[in-house]
Amino acid sequence: MKDCIFCKIVSKEVKANIVFESDNLLCILDAYPEEVGHCLILTKNHKENIFELEDSQAELILPLAKKVALAIKKSMHAEGINIIQNNGALAKQVIMHYHLHIVPRYEQPPIEQSREQIAKLLQEEIDAQTESD
């Protein structure tokens, strides 16, 4: 969709801090994070919500969410993590392109780092997990 910000991020028209990329999914740092390290997993093809996903696509999302959550837990020292997915305006979905939030929770705020440094830390941790799979 030409006016969808997430489609523009997927096509690299708009810059984002990429944490992970595959043929079907993109994981980025949220531009307006609730907490440091808040990530979004996006489908590369435009699907508005979970009801539009093909099962084959949906099967890829949870394993990636687990890897990203583990990467945040290890590299950012998060004590808890929320995994949230909203469907429709009444459910507080703001951007009508499927995305899954991975929101770390901290007792103490993490050491301040740039968004680029955070993305790199998470990329390295996800790569390490992938190599050990």
Side-chain angles (χ1 to χ4, degrees):
M1 280 189 117
K2 68 177 185 170
D3 293 332
C4 174
I5 187 66
F6 287 165
C7 287
K8 289 179 179 182
I9 289 170
V10 166
S11 68
K12 309 291 195 288
E13 291 175 56
V14 172
K15 186 183 179 325
N17 294 105
I18 297 173
V19 171
F20 175 86
E21 185 168 11
S22 70
D23 292 340
N24 299 298
L25 301 173
L26 185 69
C27 181
I28 61 172
L29 290 178
D30 193 307
Y32 304 99
E34 265 187 54
E35 292 279 1
V36 176
H38 178 169
C39 290
L40 302 174
I41 295 176
L42 318 172
T43 54
K44 280 195 165 179
N45 60 339
H46 185 89
K47 299 293 183 181
E48 186 169 310
N49 54 43
I50 198 166
F51 307 112
E52 293 185 3
L53 293 180
E54 292 90 19
D55 288 349
S56 60
Q57 192 172 33
E59 290 172 351
L60 302 172
I61 295 168
L62 197 54
L64 178 56
K66 180 181 175 184
K67 283 184 180 188
V68 174
L70 281 168
I72 292 169
K73 188 172 172 53
K74 287 182 178 180
S75 62
M76 303 297 298
H77 309 291
E79 285 101 359
I81 295 184
N82 292 110
I83 297 177
I84 306 157
Q85 202 276 309
N86 304 322
N87 295 284
L90 274 176
K92 301 192 186 319
Q93 183 179 3
V94 176
I95 299 173
M96 298 304 163
H97 180 126
Y98 178 89
H99 59 287
L100 181 87
H101 294 261
I102 303 171
V103 185
R105 300 299 180 185
Y106 306 98
E107 183 98 16
Q108 299 293 318
I111 297 168
E112 202 165 316
Q113 299 175 68
S114 72
R115 296 175 57 74
E116 291 78 14
Q117 289 171 313
I118 294 167
K120 189 172 186 312
L121 276 174
L122 296 177
Q123 287 168 3
E124 289 170 355
E125 186 57 45
I126 292 168
D127 288 347
Q129 288 178 47
T130 303
E131 288 171 9
S132 68
D133 285 348

